[in-house]
Amino acid sequence: MDVANQLVAQGQFRVLKVPLGFIKILQWFFSILAFSTCGSYSGMLRMSVECKNRTDSDLSIEVEFEYPFRLHYVHFDAPTCKGGNPETIYLVGDYSSSAEFFVTIGVFAFLYATAALSIYVFFFDKYKENNKGPLVDLGVSAVFAFMWLVSSAAWAKGLSDVKMATDPDQIITLINACDAEENQCREVHDPVMSGLNTSVAFGFINLVLWVGNLWFVFKETGIIAPFMRAPPTQEKPPTAPGTYEQDPYASNQGGYQPEYNQQGYNQDAEQGAPTSFSNQM
């Protein structure tokens, strides 16, 4: 308990409030939802076969299937409507590869998110040392973003195939007794696929989270820091003491400035000189 208390005391839980840590919590949570909704699924459908001879009918044929959807191993017994033992019918298709791939990516994403959160909280200083931690985190996050894209798309296609293979109308075509017109075959209960639909949605939500987190991890690497610095300010050279800065607008000042005619001024001076001399005489 003392060791646990020391770790909690030394933990930097404020990192969970910034986008880097908060998105990691969302990744941890939605990865659990993704692989749990797919990996824990089990479904059931029900059909009825009503033969012309009612004693051979079976009005409640149940077919159960589950993850990882190896449907070619799923079988059920259906009446032949000819008396005797019922026939064993197997479903068609093996969709385990896409389902298991999706669940595997979800489990590994959950484990990595758990480890990353532990490093963020207890070893964040070492995480940022020499930018090795952010660079590794960026590379792993990019791989997981790509894996979520591939696995979610593959599982979405696999789910559509599972829905088609488990459609009661499709399975009825496999029953030989349903080919005869005197026998009536119909579906009673469709399988509930809402859990599998949400697993695909959670997969693409994880894709958005991991792609969006790349930017915040990239900022921690410091690669973009030199490009975000403000340009240096240009300082004016100091002026010498006793001098004044020339006003750049001085030469452009408007207003009326009278023009003096030098020639006219000289003529007036010449005419005024004899007049003053004659007055003295």
Side-chain angles (χ1 to χ4, degrees):
M1 293 297 295
D2 294 337
V3 176
N5 292 333
Q6 290 179 0
L7 289 176
V8 172
Q10 296 175 0
Q12 300 180 10
F13 292 95
R14 63 180 180 273
V15 73
L16 303 179
K17 298 180 180 180
V18 300
L20 179 67
F22 182 72
I23 293 180
K24 192 64 67 179
I25 295 177
L26 294 179
Q27 292 173 348
W28 178 84
F29 178 70
F30 279 99
S31 62
I32 295 176
L33 295 179
F35 73 76
S36 63
T37 52
C38 180
S40 63
Y41 178 82
S42 62
M44 184 269 295
L45 60 94
R46 187 180 295 115
M47 302 171 297
S48 67
V49 177
E50 186 176 353
C51 303
K52 183 177 181 181
N53 184 5
R54 299 301 177 88
T55 57
D56 296 333
S57 301
D58 190 348
L59 303 180
S60 181
I61 302 175
E62 292 186 357
V63 182
E64 297 181 354
F65 60 97
E66 59 184 5
Y67 172 86
F69 308 104
R70 294 187 176 94
L71 300 183
H72 61 291
Y73 290 146
V74 178
H75 60 85
F76 62 95
D77 294 331
T80 59
C81 294
K82 297 179 181 179
N85 296 326
E87 63 175 342
T88 300
I89 298 176
Y90 287 84
L91 299 186
V92 179
D94 182 6
Y95 310 101
S96 59
S97 58
S98 59
E100 290 177 340
F101 180 50
F102 180 80
V103 171
T104 301
I105 295 301
V107 171
F108 278 104
F110 161 73
L111 295 176
Y112 178 74
T114 303
L117 284 173
S118 302
I119 294 174
Y120 290 171
V121 173
F122 301 109
F123 308 102
F124 193 68
D125 293 335
K126 293 184 179 179
Y127 167 81
K128 299 186 67 175
E129 185 177 354
N130 297 327
N131 289 334
K132 292 182 180 179
L135 288 174
V136 173
D137 194 8
L138 179 64
V140 176
S141 298
V143 171
F144 269 109
F146 177 73
M147 289 293 102
W148 275 117
L149 172 63
V150 176
S151 63
S152 298
W155 173 228
K157 176 61 172 62
L159 177 57
S160 65
D161 295 337
V162 170
K163 290 180 178 180
M164 184 177 298
T166 57
D167 185 5
D169 292 333
Q170 184 71 21
I171 297 176
I172 287 175
T173 60
L174 303 176
I175 304 175
N176 294 325
C178 297
D179 295 336
E181 295 182 358
E182 63 270 13
N183 302 324
Q184 295 181 359
C185 302
R186 61 185 180 87
E187 63 176 278
V188 178
H189 184 271
D190 288 329
V192 179
M193 296 290 188
S194 58
L196 297 180
N197 293 333
T198 54
S199 68
V200 174
F202 288 142
F204 284 104
I205 290 175
N206 276 285
L207 169 63
V208 173
L209 290 174
W210 286 85
V211 171
N213 192 46
L214 291 177
W215 167 248
F216 299 103
V217 178
F218 178 72
K219 289 173 63 177
E220 295 295 328
T221 61
I223 298 176
I224 199 174
F227 303 97
M228 299 183 67
R229 294 177 180 174
T233 57
Q234 297 180 356
E235 298 182 355
K236 296 181 179 181
T239 56
T243 61
Y244 299 95
E245 247 184 69
Q246 184 178 359
D247 188 359
Y249 300 99
S251 59
N252 297 328
Q253 291 178 351
Y256 174 73
Q257 296 182 0
E259 295 182 0
Y260 297 97
N261 191 339
Q262 186 68 24
Q263 183 177 359
Y265 176 78
N266 293 336
Q267 290 178 356
D268 293 340
E270 291 176 358
Q271 293 176 359
T275 306
S276 59
F277 179 75
S278 60
N279 292 334
Q280 291 176 3
M281 293 297 292

